[in-house]
Amino acid sequence: MKGAFNISNSQIFWLLVSMEIGMATLLTITMAVQVAKQDAWISTLLGSAVAILLTFFYVKLAMRYPGKTIIQFSQDILGMWLGKIIVIPYFVTWYSVFGAILRQVVDFIYLSLFTATPVWIITVVILVVVAYMTYVGGIESIARCAEVIGPIIVVMLIIIFILSIQDLHAKRLLPIYADTGWWLITKGAIPSMTFLSESSILMVLLAFLSTQEKAMSSSLWAMVVSMVILLDTIMMVIMIFGTLAEKMWYPLEQLVRYIYVMEFVQNVDSIFVILFLLSGFVKLAMYLFVASYSTAQWFGFQSWRTVMWVVLGIGYIITILFKNIDVATVEYPSQFWIPYVFPICFIAIPFILLLVDVIRRGIRIKT
Amino acid sequence: MNRGDKVMGKGTDKGENTPPSFEQKLDADHFVMKSLLEEAFNNCSDIVIRDIIYAGAISVLMIYIDGSVNTAEIDQILMGEIPVDDAISQRLQMKLTALAPSQIVQTVGEVVEHVIREKMAIVIDETSQAIILDVMKHETRGIEEPTNEIAVRGPRDGFTESLRINTNLVRRRLHSPLLKMESRTMGDVSKTPIVISYLKGIARESMVNEVRDRIDRISIDAILGSGYIEELIEDRSFTPFPQIQNTERPDVVCAGLLEGKVAIFTDATPFILLLPMTFWSGLQAAEDYSERFLYMTFIRWIRFTLVGVSLFLPSFYVAVIVFSPQLIPTNLLISVAEAREGVPFPTLFEVLLMEFMFEGLREAGVRLPKPIGSTVSIVGALVIGQAAVQAGIISAPTVIIVSTTGIASFAVPRYNLGIAFRLLRFPLLFLAGSLGLFGMTAGAAMILIHLVNLRSFGVPYFSPMAPQIFENLIDVVIRPPWWLGRKKAALMSNVKETRIPSQKNPFSRRKGQRL
Amino acid sequence: MKFRISLIMIAIVAVVFTTGCWDQVELNDRAIEMAWGIDQVSKSLVEISAQVIIPSRMQGQSSQGSQQKTFQVVSGRGINTLEAVQDMQRQLSRVVFRSHRRAIFFGEDTAKQGLTDILDTYTRDPEIRLRTDVFVVKGMTAKDFLSVSFPFESIPGLGALKEHTAMGGWGTEVFLDFLLSVNSEGTAPTLPLIQVTSQHGRKTGFEYSGRAIFNKQLRMVGELSSTQAQLAFWIKSKNRYLTIGGKVPPKGNVAIVILNPRSHIVSHLGKKSVRFVITLYGDGNLRENNTELDMSKTDSIHIVERALERQMSKRALALIAHVQKDYGEDIFGFGDTLHIQHPYYWKKVKGSWDSIFRHVQVRISTRISIKRVGLTGLPLHNRK
């Protein structure tokens, strides 16, 4: 296959961070607060902890077959046909999530910046950027962009947090636990857990890593950093809006809009939109690359770049298929992502593969 | 300068243009020789063929370009008295070769070749060979301070048009046999000498090979400046970003060589090419390392900000005014709204118009003869800006924005990198004008993607930012103090250690004393 | 390579030229609206008024004299806010731009009829910011109020906001605060009140005049005077600063500025009822001393502190009793305190909190500490 890509550990770190932060901070907060009220931050802590644990297993699994993607090592583990069949759910996930994220990004941009511009123009512009990012250099180009965009996002978020310190009321976090109880808190952990478990994409990305030793630490650090930022965001949101956040589409955007410093810094939510858009570019490009590269591997095609155009087309069609903002932003995660994708792709398949591999290797050593 | 008097097509073979007689051996016969050479240099009025009878016994031919050769000493020898015997031609030959670096050639072609390269050829009768003497005497400009790269603190000498002086300026700073100067000749007509220079052991061998390869692949009629070479060897042409740095300052070249870069000297140009170039090295000025580090770190940050301003300010202004005025503080918004009342153009057009005017004024200011140049541009800017605002054609904030951008774009230390920002401003303006902040972000992302995928001689253009090389990134974000032990750029140089051995910085010594 | 780049360039150019300018509105095609008034005209008709600035008149106000107003009030009617805005737009040559709105005004009658039906659009519309100040206009419709000019500010709407902030209020946080208390079961919402001042029948400006109290149906049920409101907000720890004065026995009075007024409320569960112990804290600077006490002595500072503390506690107690008796709305957030401190008990009582609140027992103590006494010990004119 054309193009042996090389990405470094710091690139893995920034890829993960810039991909996790954008969507998670934007979309999980409302869902968590709806269930767990002011205790949503405990839920998030819980959810991200589980996600980090899962990430640990993803990396462990991927490191058993260095230089191979899940498409390849599933065939090594389960044999050609079974291996090919078992990864099909991933394609469903990747193709649909590409369309869903695209739609979510477009919806968000549209809602916060536009009123009259046709939606397809926004979609096409985003697709052009994403296609360019993916086409010119594959994962290397995406990783390098993430290395620039990731720090920008983190720094900007920190600035946002500093600027909103004056509006915080720690009282709004109270009372802890009493209103909700462990069941609701656990339930509230689901959104952050499922969103952060997108790190399962590592099972493809780690194949391109140039030096394998530090893969575990950089992936886990990325998850920890994402968790801290997500936790920080959700606590900020609760400390400013209390449980009002459960009724807001994008609480973080509202928080940014609420920032007000000396008459001069106000209504800066447009800046936040830019931030989010940058994260969206990286995330979309990554899914585009992973989907097209894996498809090419699955079929044994020589050029993943040709496949890319197909994925782009499918993504665009999926974007149109979502009827309204509710379907893409609420129903897609709650009715597809949480009940199907998470248990199947993020838990079942990786663990089956890991288990079979451990057993097989064990047998091999004995015999 | 133009290449108007092109003599031969690029594709034609060298051999076709030289008359067949050039290949022939030098003739022992004096008159045959003379006519051969006169034929070769037909209609070249600047080439002198002097026919002398030495010591009244043997004929000697001197061939040289008038004015570019120092003939005084040779004249002295040729006028000198000498006993006439059989070995007279040998003795004359010995005397001449003692005078200057010399070589003996056998063919007419070689004689011609050397003469046009400003050497003197002396043909002694009946020897059927020619002595080539390197007694070049150039009329050159003196060493002056470079006008395009001025440093507040730093050496005041700059390169000149003479290749030899230029290499001397560098050699004078790096007295090391590791400093290599490989010589080449380029251009079928111009025969321009160029020199590839690098520090052996520090520059990557693979990179030097790549440079050699690319230079050897060039086939062109004439090289009239280093810009020709730059464009012929750069990685990618369809990009506004320069991938090869040029400089007039010997200290910059030396600093580059020490980092493992390769320098290309071209005769008759004071601009020396330095490669590979990265985006961030384009934002570093010559004096960054000669002033104290705190101040220079501050200056670097100012520069980064100004680069951002020069690229994004006009489009940001348009996007904010036209699409998201909520970003502007209330009072500022009111005064901008006040200023815009009655302005007939849409904001986008207004900014474009002013940008165009600004670029025009800049271009006119550069090309105009010096005495009127600066006056015209300043007066022009004032009159046009002031008058346009007062007439209500352009709003005052637009003028402020455009002039701020203009100033910012000249704060980029490398002129050719500044050009890139000036060019990219326009597509960004259009994007901002049609899609607001969203369009601007998309445009910025495109630029970023382009930048991270660009390479200069194998070195990623945006390194050490992306791909991140942490120890070198420090040198981008701040100007690290020397005692911190600056690391060599990992992608350019072979050498891994720091430029100051870690145990030898002043602090570790001081610590040792205290103990 | 070249092909790819030219493709991208074509794409960009195509986008630029096909998008035209749907969302593009030049600044001189926008009507920048700074304040907003809402009146309920009849059961199903809302009247919206907006104070829109006129940029060309903002220039050189001083030289041209104050004959020309720098703003224009436009209004429209409709069954809901957006319809009214549509109606209003008919009178404007420019598109209304609402993102810079800093204050919203409700007419008193509207507030009394209830705000529930008209609030939604203020949180839904992405153009509108949460950070606004909200006022109830006392004894007037918002429309009439908006057309009153204010001598200090060229945009009167901003004047109201600034008055509120100057009194130690949190200004633009009011709306969010209001929404939060509407959403909470343990706090009754309040809004600042503003009133037009007049001299000889001519309207000269307006003044901040306390808070309007709302019930859960968002109907205005009563009001607090400016000093009462300050005190109430001390109990809620919501003031930035406040000035209090008081008598000091045997004779004379003092005034201090309290810079960091805050309170601590503790709820105690009794067998049948809930008891609240409130401690008001304040670090103050003495600004006026009309007594014969020498402020260079620690003892006299103590005397002043004790005297003020006693008076403040008494006033606060009276205020709470007044609110309990006359309005029965928990504007102090006692319910929220109970919620935080005894969450399980709260679950049992939250349904009937309104009636419990009326009979809640409250004890108040005040701790004022004077940190600085100004530049003199004794009054300089004192002959002693």
Side-chain angles (χ1 to χ4, degrees):
Chain A
M1 187 163 272
K2 195 191 153 201
F5 300 108
N6 251 335
I7 54 178
S8 68
N9 282 302
S10 74
Q11 285 175 335
I12 282 281
F13 176 86
W14 286 117
L15 270 173
L16 270 187
V17 168
S18 45
M19 142 183 161
E20 300 278 20
I21 287 180
M23 281 293 160
T25 51
L26 193 72
L27 296 178
T28 61
I29 294 176
T30 309
M31 287 193 245
V33 177
Q34 270 167 1
V35 180
K37 308 288 174 202
Q38 67 268 37
D39 293 328
W41 61 276
I42 307 177
S43 307
T44 305
L45 194 62
L46 210 69
S48 350
V50 175
I52 291 174
L53 195 70
L54 286 174
T55 310
F56 174 80
F57 286 111
Y58 300 149
V59 179
K60 267 270 175 273
L61 177 60
M63 297 314 282
R64 288 177 154 247
Y65 292 90
K68 288 190 173 176
T69 66
I70 188 168
I71 313 297
Q72 290 165 312
F73 67 65
S74 70
Q75 293 173 35
D76 285 2
I77 295 172
L78 298 175
M80 167 126 169
W81 285 107
L82 208 54
K84 275 200 173 183
I85 291 166
I86 202 168
V87 291
I88 289 175
Y90 284 101
F91 289 111
V92 178
T93 310
W94 291 330
Y95 279 73
S96 70
V97 86
F98 178 72
I101 294 173
L102 183 61
R103 178 58 189 257
Q104 285 160 1
V105 173
V106 170
D107 273 340
F108 178 65
I109 300 287
Y110 191 77
L111 208 64
S112 32
L113 292 179
F114 295 108
T115 48
T117 310
V119 179
W120 67 265
I121 283 180
I122 301 170
T123 319
V124 165
V125 169
I126 291 175
L127 281 180
V128 165
V129 174
V130 168
Y132 181 45
M133 193 191 287
T134 316
Y135 192 87
V136 274
I139 191 70
E140 267 182 41
S141 149
I142 303 168
R144 286 180 187 175
C145 287
E147 264 179 323
V148 180
I149 289 171
I152 294 176
I153 295 175
V154 172
V155 169
M156 293 278 266
L157 278 174
I158 290 171
I159 292 174
I160 286 170
F161 296 151
I162 290 171
L163 290 183
S164 36
I165 280 178
Q166 51 168 358
D167 296 317
L168 300 181
H169 298 277
K171 240 184 174 178
R172 291 178 188 157
L173 286 173
L174 299 173
I176 296 169
Y177 186 76
D179 279 6
T180 48
W182 66 270
W183 171 241
L184 287 182
I185 291 179
T186 317
K187 233 177 122 188
I190 290 173
S192 50
M193 180 172 70
T194 45
F195 270 75
L196 288 183
S197 300
E198 277 185 292
S199 58
S200 64
I201 206 167
L202 279 175
M203 291 186 288
V204 178
L205 295 187
L206 287 181
F208 308 113
L209 205 56
S210 52
T211 47
Q212 306 280 326
E213 298 97 52
K214 286 185 182 163
M216 182 62 88
S217 74
S218 48
S219 324
L220 289 189
W221 268 115
M223 295 303 289
V224 171
V225 167
S226 313
M227 178 187 88
V228 168
I229 287 176
L230 181 60
L231 199 63
D232 195 33
T233 315
I234 201 162
M235 288 181 82
M236 290 263 179
V237 165
I238 296 172
M239 282 196 270
I240 290 178
F241 298 127
T243 47
L244 276 185
E246 67 184 331
K247 292 171 190 160
M248 299 171 171
W249 273 126
Y250 309 114
L252 181 57
E253 196 221 1
Q254 291 279 2
L255 182 146
V256 176
R257 188 184 280 189
Y258 198 69
I259 289 175
Y260 180 88
V261 182
M262 296 167 68
E263 282 274 328
F264 190 72
V265 182
Q266 54 176 355
N267 297 342
V268 283
D269 52 308
S270 326
I271 305 290
F272 169 75
V273 176
I274 290 177
L275 209 68
F276 173 77
L277 183 63
L278 288 174
S279 163
F281 284 148
V282 172
K283 192 164 186 169
L284 283 169
M286 198 148 68
Y287 272 112
L288 179 62
F289 172 77
V290 165
S292 32
Y293 193 87
S294 311
T295 311
Q297 264 188 346
W298 200 82
F299 285 109
F301 290 152
Q302 280 305 301
S303 157
W304 60 270
R305 283 191 167 91
T306 326
V307 182
M308 194 190 90
W309 300 114
V310 180
V311 182
L312 269 185
I314 295 174
Y316 186 67
I317 292 167
I318 292 175
T319 314
I320 300 172
L321 286 181
F322 288 117
K323 265 201 225 87
N324 54 37
I325 186 167
D326 289 344
V327 181
T329 314
V330 181
E331 284 172 21
Y332 177 80
S334 67
Q335 290 177 16
F336 178 68
W337 194 252
I338 292 172
Y340 298 109
V341 172
F342 181 70
I344 296 174
C345 293
F346 293 175
I347 295 182
I349 298 177
F351 276 93
I352 291 172
L353 288 176
L354 192 60
L355 213 66
V356 173
D357 192 43
V358 168
I359 293 168
R360 275 183 56 166
R361 287 196 186 192
I363 291 168
R364 212 174 301 149
I365 288 164
K366 267 179 198 164
T367 48
Chain B
M1 289 201 234
N2 58 30
R3 295 188 284 175
D5 15 34
K6 204 168 165 185
V7 177
M8 48 196 139
K10 211 164 122 191
T12 52
D13 196 17
K14 219 185 214 171
E16 279 178 28
N17 299 289
T18 25
S21 60
F22 274 40
E23 291 301 321
Q24 78 187 66
K25 294 274 180 196
L26 286 170
D27 203 297
D29 184 68
H30 179 71
F31 295 101
V32 177
M33 263 318 297
K34 195 179 175 191
S35 61
L36 261 177
L37 288 168
E38 272 171 349
E39 186 195 335
F41 294 117
N42 183 27
N43 277 350
C44 296
S45 64
D46 59 333
I47 288 174
V48 181
I49 301 175
R50 265 165 72 189
D51 195 352
I52 303 166
I53 311 281
Y54 177 59
I58 49 172
S59 319
V60 174
L61 274 179
M62 285 169 77
I63 314 110
Y64 57 90
I65 300 172
D66 199 12
S68 73
V69 170
N70 187 3
T71 56
E73 285 169 346
I74 294 168
D75 283 349
Q76 217 166 26
I77 292 173
L78 292 176
M79 297 302 146
E81 286 299 316
I82 194 161
V84 182
D85 55 22
D86 285 351
I88 183 165
S89 51
Q90 271 79 25
R91 269 191 280 132
L92 176 60
Q93 196 166 334
M94 273 157 65
K95 274 192 173 181
L96 287 171
T97 49
L99 195 67
S102 65
Q103 68 188 99
I104 307 288
V105 296
Q106 315 284 344
T107 63
V108 179
E110 280 173 295
V111 172
V112 171
E113 189 86 353
H114 282 106
V115 167
I116 57 172
R117 287 206 200 150
E118 301 168 278
K119 288 177 184 163
M120 179 184 275
I122 296 174
V123 184
I124 304 170
D125 196 17
E126 286 169 355
T127 52
S128 55
Q129 60 188 23
I131 309 164
I132 306 295
L133 288 174
D134 194 354
V135 281
M136 205 186 287
K137 179 199 73 181
H138 261 164
E139 291 305 325
T140 54
R141 186 162 67 91
I143 295 172
E144 289 160 17
E145 185 171 9
T147 43
N148 292 346
E149 282 172 84
I150 294 168
V152 178
R153 182 173 170 179
R156 298 258 183 264
D157 53 350
F159 289 123
T160 68
E161 281 77 6
S162 156
L163 180 70
R164 221 11 94 207
I165 293 175
N166 292 353
T167 52
N168 278 343
L169 284 172
V170 171
R171 178 68 78 181
R172 207 183 284 169
R173 286 175 166 82
L174 300 171
H175 297 283
S176 162
L178 291 178
L179 175 63
K180 304 295 179 196
M181 302 252 183
E182 289 176 16
S183 172
R184 293 276 194 288
T185 307
M186 278 180 13
D188 295 337
V189 177
S190 69
K191 311 273 188 226
T192 315
I194 65 163
V195 166
I196 305 169
S197 175
Y198 56 92
L199 277 172
K200 198 175 171 59
I202 292 177
R204 284 202 166 178
E205 200 54 44
S206 58
M207 187 158 66
V208 179
N209 282 336
E210 181 67 33
V211 175
R212 283 191 200 116
D213 271 7
R214 290 194 195 177
I215 284 189
D216 291 343
R217 245 181 277 143
I218 296 177
S219 165
I220 190 173
D221 59 343
I223 300 282
L224 298 182
S226 53
Y228 288 45
I229 299 178
E230 175 178 358
E231 218 168 280
L232 287 167
I233 63 173
E234 68 188 357
D235 288 61
R236 205 187 277 182
S237 297
F238 283 95
T239 168
F241 293 98
Q243 297 135 69
I244 296 172
Q245 178 180 340
N246 63 64
T247 180
E248 280 185 273
R249 299 184 63 92
D251 53 330
V252 172
V253 169
C254 290
L257 290 173
L258 284 167
E259 280 171 17
K261 292 183 179 176
V262 178
I264 300 173
F265 295 79
T266 314
D267 195 30
T269 339
F271 294 99
I272 276 46
L273 300 180
L274 206 52
L275 54 92
M277 179 189 184
T278 64
F279 182 82
W280 302 104
S281 68
L283 296 180
Q284 296 173 356
E287 70 199 61
D288 274 17
Y289 292 94
S290 46
E291 194 50 83
R292 298 183 61 244
F293 81 94
L294 275 178
Y295 174 64
M296 282 334 287
T297 302
F298 168 71
I299 291 291
R300 266 192 193 176
W301 277 96
I302 296 264
R303 234 180 257 152
F304 291 153
T305 319
L306 287 178
V307 165
V309 164
S310 78
L311 188 55
F312 294 119
L313 188 67
S315 39
F316 186 72
Y317 173 74
V318 170
V320 165
I321 291 288
V322 178
F323 288 88
S324 335
Q326 67 268 25
L327 265 173
I328 315 172
T330 312
N331 289 329
L332 185 60
L333 179 77
I334 292 172
S335 44
V336 174
E338 226 176 274
R340 274 205 55 81
E341 284 297 317
V343 173
F345 303 121
T347 313
L348 173 64
F349 186 69
E350 208 188 331
V351 173
L352 275 176
L353 192 74
M354 283 311 283
E355 283 286 352
F356 179 77
M357 288 301 295
F358 181 84
E359 289 294 313
L361 277 170
R362 189 196 52 78
E363 182 62 18
V366 172
R367 301 285 160 248
L368 277 171
K370 248 183 198 161
I372 44 171
S374 55
T375 334
V376 166
S377 60
I378 291 167
V379 170
L382 268 177
V383 168
I384 290 172
Q386 185 88 4
V389 170
Q390 291 205 332
I393 297 169
I394 302 287
S395 69
T398 308
V399 176
I400 296 170
I401 294 291
V402 169
S403 44
T404 310
T405 315
I407 292 166
S409 71
F410 293 117
V412 180
R414 305 276 170 238
Y415 182 72
N416 53 354
L417 189 62
I419 295 171
F421 296 126
R422 290 219 309 271
L423 275 180
L424 288 172
R425 217 144 69 197
F426 290 96
L428 277 178
L429 253 177
F430 278 112
L431 278 170
S434 55
L435 290 169
L437 284 172
F438 169 70
M440 214 183 106
T441 316
M446 295 290 266
I447 294 173
L448 177 69
I449 297 166
H450 176 71
L451 271 175
V452 298
N453 282 297
L454 206 57
R455 280 167 179 275
S456 167
F457 288 83
V459 174
Y461 196 59
F462 217 53
S463 71
M465 182 80 128
Q468 223 166 54
I469 297 155
F470 186 73
E471 51 266 38
N472 295 335
L473 191 61
I474 294 174
D475 197 9
V476 167
V477 180
I478 61 170
R479 197 288 256 173
W482 277 107
W483 43 258
L484 206 65
R486 218 167 128 229
K487 290 269 200 328
K488 290 229 169 71
L491 293 173
M492 283 184 209
S493 129
N494 270 333
V495 187
K496 285 276 172 279
E497 75 256 27
T498 54
R499 296 179 62 173
I500 296 179
S502 58
Q503 291 312 308
K504 297 209 171 149
N505 71 52
F507 279 162
S508 63
R509 211 183 308 143
R510 258 181 247 162
K511 235 183 260 165
Q513 278 173 354
R514 225 177 282 141
L515 286 170
Chain C
M1 187 62 236
K2 284 173 204 169
F3 173 70
R4 216 188 302 153
I5 283 185
S6 49
L7 242 178
I8 291 163
M9 292 312 278
I10 289 168
I12 290 174
V13 170
V15 165
V16 168
F17 287 104
T18 48
T19 44
C21 316
W22 283 294
D23 274 302
Q24 174 174 351
V25 184
E26 290 293 338
L27 215 50
N28 30 4
D29 292 329
R30 287 189 200 263
I32 302 166
E33 172 231 299
M34 305 300 292
W36 183 260
I38 304 157
D39 292 302
Q40 192 93 41
V41 184
S42 69
K43 201 92 190 109
S44 59
L45 206 58
V46 187
E47 180 165 40
I48 297 292
S49 326
Q51 212 170 55
V52 181
I53 59 164
I54 306 169
S56 54
R57 292 205 191 141
M58 300 291 288
Q59 217 160 18
Q61 294 152 22
S62 49
S63 59
Q64 288 175 3
S66 53
Q67 253 63 33
Q68 287 184 312
K69 274 189 174 178
T70 50
F71 61 91
Q72 178 83 33
V73 175
V74 283
S75 54
R77 294 179 174 200
I79 55 162
N80 54 29
T81 309
L82 269 209
E83 222 189 63
V85 171
Q86 273 307 306
D87 190 39
M88 188 170 88
Q89 185 72 65
R90 292 189 298 127
Q91 305 160 40
L92 284 169
S93 60
R94 300 177 173 196
V95 183
V96 180
F97 176 62
R98 292 170 294 182
S99 292
H100 271 277
R101 172 198 305 159
R102 307 293 283 287
I104 298 175
F105 298 90
F106 292 106
E108 190 177 350
D109 292 340
T110 315
K112 282 186 172 148
Q113 285 169 44
L115 305 177
T116 326
D117 301 336
I118 43 180
L119 270 183
D120 177 73
T121 181
Y122 298 94
T123 48
R124 185 176 301 279
D125 194 329
E127 248 193 73
I128 297 171
R129 310 286 140 163
L130 274 181
R131 209 181 250 280
T132 29
D133 206 346
V134 185
F135 292 93
V136 172
V137 182
K138 198 171 164 184
M140 218 180 195
T141 60
K143 185 185 175 186
D144 293 339
F145 176 81
L146 285 178
S147 39
V148 176
S149 31
F150 189 61
F152 295 104
E153 304 288 336
S154 48
I155 306 149
L158 287 185
L161 169 65
K162 284 185 180 172
E163 272 183 358
H164 185 204
T165 321
M167 286 300 292
W170 278 104
T172 47
E173 280 184 22
V174 167
F175 190 43
L176 179 64
D177 225 42
F178 182 74
L179 289 174
L180 276 170
S181 45
V182 170
N183 258 280
S184 129
E185 286 137 332
T187 312
T190 62
L191 283 179
L193 267 174
I194 200 149
Q195 189 178 20
V196 170
T197 52
S198 52
Q199 236 170 4
H200 315 300
R202 242 185 90 228
K203 289 166 186 158
T204 51
F206 40 76
E207 61 186 16
Y208 171 72
S209 56
R211 304 276 299 194
I213 300 171
F214 286 82
N215 65 8
K216 284 289 157 205
Q217 288 72 47
L218 295 188
R219 292 211 175 89
M220 178 177 159
V221 292
E223 57 189 75
L224 297 178
S225 75
S226 170
T227 42
Q228 280 174 328
Q230 276 198 334
L231 199 55
F233 273 66
W234 192 355
I235 297 171
K236 288 179 81 169
S237 305
K238 279 271 170 64
N239 272 355
R240 286 188 298 132
Y241 53 84
L242 72 136
T243 311
I244 54 173
K247 290 202 180 85
V248 178
K251 73 182 183 84
N253 55 61
V254 294
I256 66 170
V257 176
I258 292 186
L259 289 178
N260 192 9
R262 62 202 182 276
S263 75
H264 188 66
I265 308 177
V266 184
S267 55
H268 294 283
L269 296 187
K271 280 207 176 110
K272 279 182 195 159
S273 61
V274 201
R275 213 153 42 80
F276 288 91
V277 177
I278 303 167
T279 321
L280 301 177
Y281 295 94
D283 300 337
N285 291 348
L286 186 80
R287 282 293 160 79
E288 191 175 345
N289 175 19
N290 297 326
T291 65
E292 296 189 336
L293 294 167
D294 181 357
M295 285 303 161
S296 56
K297 292 184 181 127
T298 319
D299 284 348
S300 39
I301 291 181
H302 280 308
I303 293 171
V304 173
E305 284 174 354
R306 295 297 91 75
L308 284 175
E309 283 170 0
R310 236 174 292 127
Q311 285 169 45
M312 291 324 291
S313 301
K314 224 159 125 193
R315 281 191 218 167
L317 212 55
L319 173 67
I320 294 171
H322 168 65
V323 172
Q324 278 179 319
K325 203 170 113 249
D326 294 347
Y327 309 123
E329 294 297 334
D330 182 8
I331 58 167
F332 306 103
F334 289 153
D336 279 343
T337 310
L338 190 64
H339 182 190
I340 289 169
Q341 291 173 353
H342 300 283
Y344 295 103
Y345 179 75
W346 171 250
K347 276 185 192 169
K348 279 185 273 174
V349 301
K350 67 177 174 189
S352 53
W353 178 246
D354 282 349
S355 56
I356 296 174
F357 171 73
R358 284 177 182 270
H359 308 291
V360 159
Q361 285 174 23
V362 179
R363 251 177 50 205
I364 294 188
S365 56
T366 311
R367 300 268 176 280
I368 290 173
S369 79
I370 293 173
K371 300 286 184 194
R372 277 161 285 269
V373 293
L375 297 176
T376 49
L378 264 177
L380 284 184
H381 59 268
N382 200 315
R383 288 219 198 118
K384 208 161 37 169

